[in-house]
Amino acid sequence: MMHVERILVPADGSAESEAAFAWACDLARYYDAEITLLYVVDTTKLGSLGLPGGPEKPEYFDHEQGKKILQTLCEKAPEGISVHTVTVYGDPGPDIVRLVDKHDINLVVMGSRGMGRVARWALGSVSTYVLHRASCPVLTVKADAQA
């Protein structure tokens, strides 16, 4: 049987990440596990738009949106569920995978937007990246999935 002590939930404010958090809360209660909520301030966005340079220092990026997202989810956590928050600056996929190893995460529960093949090929997918590279199981959750 799988032993789960630490669950990572990447949050981006989407309905999918809210559904993933609900699933993670149920799993945390079942396994008596703690949840780490992660928000990645995506510092790659300017470069992906083809803009030269762009800010290189974290203080140039607005992380207030991430604080609000994490706070909103924390407020939805059921009584007795231990939730910690982490905010990092960087590239979401690789940073999620790094955090899995750094925090000895046993399970990642994350939203999946359900992009089609063409969109996933052209744009990439954070959930696909994590699914193929994380050293632990990854559960992807769609917005309409009931916990």
Side-chain angles (χ1 to χ4, degrees):
M1 178 163 191
M2 188 166 110
H3 182 67
V4 177
E5 294 177 2
R6 287 168 296 285
I7 300 170
L8 177 66
V9 181
D12 62 5
S14 67
E16 291 84 3
S17 70
E18 287 189 26
F21 182 67
W23 274 84
C25 287
D26 282 354
L27 290 166
R29 180 176 287 120
Y30 180 81
Y31 286 107
D32 193 27
E34 64 182 37
I35 296 174
T36 299
L37 270 173
L38 169 66
Y39 183 80
V40 180
V41 179
D42 190 349
T43 60
T44 65
K45 285 184 178 176
L46 288 177
S48 69
L49 296 174
L51 300 175
E56 296 177 5
K57 296 183 179 179
E59 60 267 19
Y60 291 113
F61 291 91
D62 180 14
H63 64 274
E64 290 303 312
Q65 176 185 4
K67 284 169 105 174
K68 290 176 187 173
I69 290 168
L70 295 177
Q71 181 179 356
T72 299
L73 289 175
C74 282
E75 290 169 359
K76 293 180 179 183
E79 181 92 17
I81 302 294
S82 175
V83 180
H84 310 280
T85 62
V86 176
T87 300
V88 297
Y89 295 84
D91 188 355
D95 283 323
I96 292 167
V97 171
R98 264 192 290 281
L99 233 71
V100 165
D101 294 328
K102 182 179 179 181
H103 292 266
D104 198 23
I105 299 296
N106 307 111
L107 176 66
V108 176
V109 181
M110 64 188 302
S112 173
R113 288 207 173 68
M115 290 191 289
R117 275 192 203 172
V118 174
R120 190 170 39 250
W121 174 80
L123 302 173
S125 162
V126 174
S127 59
T128 299
Y129 184 95
V130 173
L131 182 66
H132 290 285
R133 290 171 179 84
S135 58
C136 67
V138 178
L139 172 63
T140 58
V141 179
K142 293 190 179 191
D144 57 357
Q146 297 296 316

